mmCIF file of all heavy atoms in Angstrom:
data_model
loop_
_atom_site.group_PDB
_atom_site.id
_atom_site.type_symbol
_atom_site.label_atom_id
_atom_site.label_comp_id
_atom_site.label_asym_id
_atom_site.label_seq_id
_atom_site.Cartn_x
_atom_site.Cartn_y
_atom_site.Cartn_z
ATOM 1 N N PRO A 106 -48.428 204.719 142.840
ATOM 2 C CA PRO A 106 -47.528 204.472 143.988
ATOM 3 C C PRO A 106 -46.283 203.721 143.502
ATOM 4 O O PRO A 106 -46.396 202.730 142.816
ATOM 5 C CB PRO A 106 -48.357 203.589 144.918
ATOM 6 C CG PRO A 106 -49.357 202.941 144.029
ATOM 7 C CD PRO A 106 -49.630 203.905 142.907
ATOM 8 N N GLU A 263 -74.929 190.228 137.465
ATOM 9 C CA GLU A 263 -75.683 189.774 136.304
ATOM 10 C C GLU A 263 -74.725 189.345 135.199
ATOM 11 O O GLU A 263 -73.665 189.951 135.025
ATOM 12 C CB GLU A 263 -76.586 190.906 135.802
ATOM 13 C CG GLU A 263 -77.664 191.301 136.786
ATOM 14 C CD GLU A 263 -78.567 192.387 136.222
ATOM 15 O OE1 GLU A 263 -78.420 192.698 135.019
ATOM 16 O OE2 GLU A 263 -79.392 192.906 136.975
ATOM 17 N N TYR A 575 -39.315 177.680 182.389
ATOM 18 C CA TYR A 575 -39.399 176.552 181.457
ATOM 19 C C TYR A 575 -40.803 175.955 181.458
ATOM 20 O O TYR A 575 -41.369 175.660 180.396
ATOM 21 C CB TYR A 575 -38.358 175.498 181.842
ATOM 22 C CG TYR A 575 -38.587 174.150 181.215
ATOM 23 C CD1 TYR A 575 -38.376 173.947 179.848
ATOM 24 C CD2 TYR A 575 -39.022 173.072 181.984
ATOM 25 C CE1 TYR A 575 -38.602 172.707 179.268
ATOM 26 C CE2 TYR A 575 -39.249 171.833 181.420
ATOM 27 C CZ TYR A 575 -39.035 171.650 180.062
ATOM 28 O OH TYR A 575 -39.257 170.431 179.495
ATOM 29 N N MET A 857 -9.707 195.725 137.336
ATOM 30 C CA MET A 857 -9.907 197.176 137.444
ATOM 31 C C MET A 857 -11.102 197.611 136.598
ATOM 32 O O MET A 857 -11.887 198.477 136.999
ATOM 33 C CB MET A 857 -8.653 197.913 136.970
ATOM 34 C CG MET A 857 -7.562 198.037 138.011
ATOM 35 S SD MET A 857 -8.003 199.188 139.330
ATOM 36 C CE MET A 857 -8.109 200.723 138.417
ATOM 37 N N SER A 1197 70.773 191.387 130.695
ATOM 38 C CA SER A 1197 70.923 190.472 129.564
ATOM 39 C C SER A 1197 70.035 189.243 129.715
ATOM 40 O O SER A 1197 69.457 188.747 128.743
ATOM 41 C CB SER A 1197 72.390 190.057 129.423
ATOM 42 O OG SER A 1197 72.834 189.433 130.636
#
Side-chain angles (χ1 to χ4, degrees):
E263 295 182 8
Y575 164 71
M857 277 289 296
S1197 58

